[in-house]
Amino acid sequence: MEFTFLAEQFSAIYHTAAEGVASAPGRVNLIGEHTDYNDGFVLPCTLNFRTKVLFKARADNVIKVHSLNYPGESDCFSVAEPIKAGPSQWGNYVRAVAFVLQRAGHKLCGADLLIESDVPQGAGLSSSAALEVAIGGMFNSVAQLKLTPTQLALFGQQAENDFMDCQCGIMDQLVSANGQSHHALLIDCQDLSTQLVAMPTNLVVVIINSNYPRKLVDSEYNQRRLACEAAAKKLGVSSLRQTTLDAVEHNTLLSDVERKRARHVVSENLRVIDAVQALQTGDLAKLRTLMAQSHQSLHGDYEVTVAATDGLVKLSQQALGENGAARMTGGGFGGAIVCLCLPESVATLKDSVIPQYQQQFGLAADLYVCTAGQGLVVQYF
Ligand code: GLA
């Protein structure tokens, strides 16, 4: 939505003009799935879909927040008191970020806020990370906290872990805070160092949301984390980053499930490094192989795919042939798939994959052609 429209809406709600906007993008992970909480490598890129938070500081300690995505629902709380969960689910993300900043000793101030987002929700494209990073950026500005984008990302992750009860890793918030237009971001989750990787100009990023209803995502996700931690312990390392495929195959203490989970993580880390090189050289054949292997590993060893996303990936791989690569993206159990393909192949995905998927799974998929957008931006009007 246009800023002028959003600014008008802000004035209509609060009877005063917004003084600025903090905005942060959703993300799609190109490769490196379920590796972030294992100190591994990930290669996400930001989306051109963003969550915008228009703001105006208040003289008191009250946060008032409305969202154009949820008309008629609002939230209001004080940053001068201990922050607890409230009645609004999206409002709780705002509270969560305030809670972790307050807990770390940062002095917050009140603000009137208006949120608007075009990041698809429930698709595994990090709409919640975009909201957390934008809210963190807003507090950073109005309360002059002087935090870096990486620090804001870490607070966003803490908000998920300690307030929203989701034990996610750092990938989503870190790329939303630090991503750059037209680039993917290689993140080493062991030390949070990052490297920008230019997106090849001959390829486009296509995201297809399976619209499969995601269930039990958090509990399954947490189980995967626990299995990885158990495997690392049996392998005698602090995280699966410190081990090898050989050690995983030959360790006699690992259960079958732990071996499979560890094999996925260790092999996926290797694929990320190879994918960086393939992206840099525009090597589509290599990307096809790596993304297909990643999907297969997430299906067979990590067991986070569902029939709908397996089917969507297979249909896309068949339709794209040598002109593109496809795999599931994000946490799994439904959600979206990502394709890297030649621009002329987008029509094939739209005209052939979407109807075939509908026929096979009875679900209407949404397709987005994306470009990598800028990470967190805070602007004053
Ligand atoms: C979710 C989490 C991330 C990451 C992915 C899987 O998106 O929020 O931290 O673990 O799943 O790669």
Side-chain angles (χ1 to χ4, degrees), residues 160-182:
E160 288 274 0
N161 293 171
D162 301 345
F163 198 91
M164 303 306 292
D165 249 350
C166 167
Q167 298 309 309
C168 69
I170 188 62
M171 165 170 70
D172 308 344
Q173 291 81 5
L174 202 69
V175 70
S176 181
N178 284 308
Q180 299 269 324
S181 303
H182 308 297

Side-chain angles (χ1 to χ4, degrees), residues 19 55-57 109-111 113 137-145 380:
E19 61 191 8
F55 61 82
K56 179 165 187 185
C109 65
L113 308 175
M138 176 280 300
F139 274 126
N140 200 31
S141 289
V142 296
Q144 296 176 17
L145 305 179
Y380 279 80

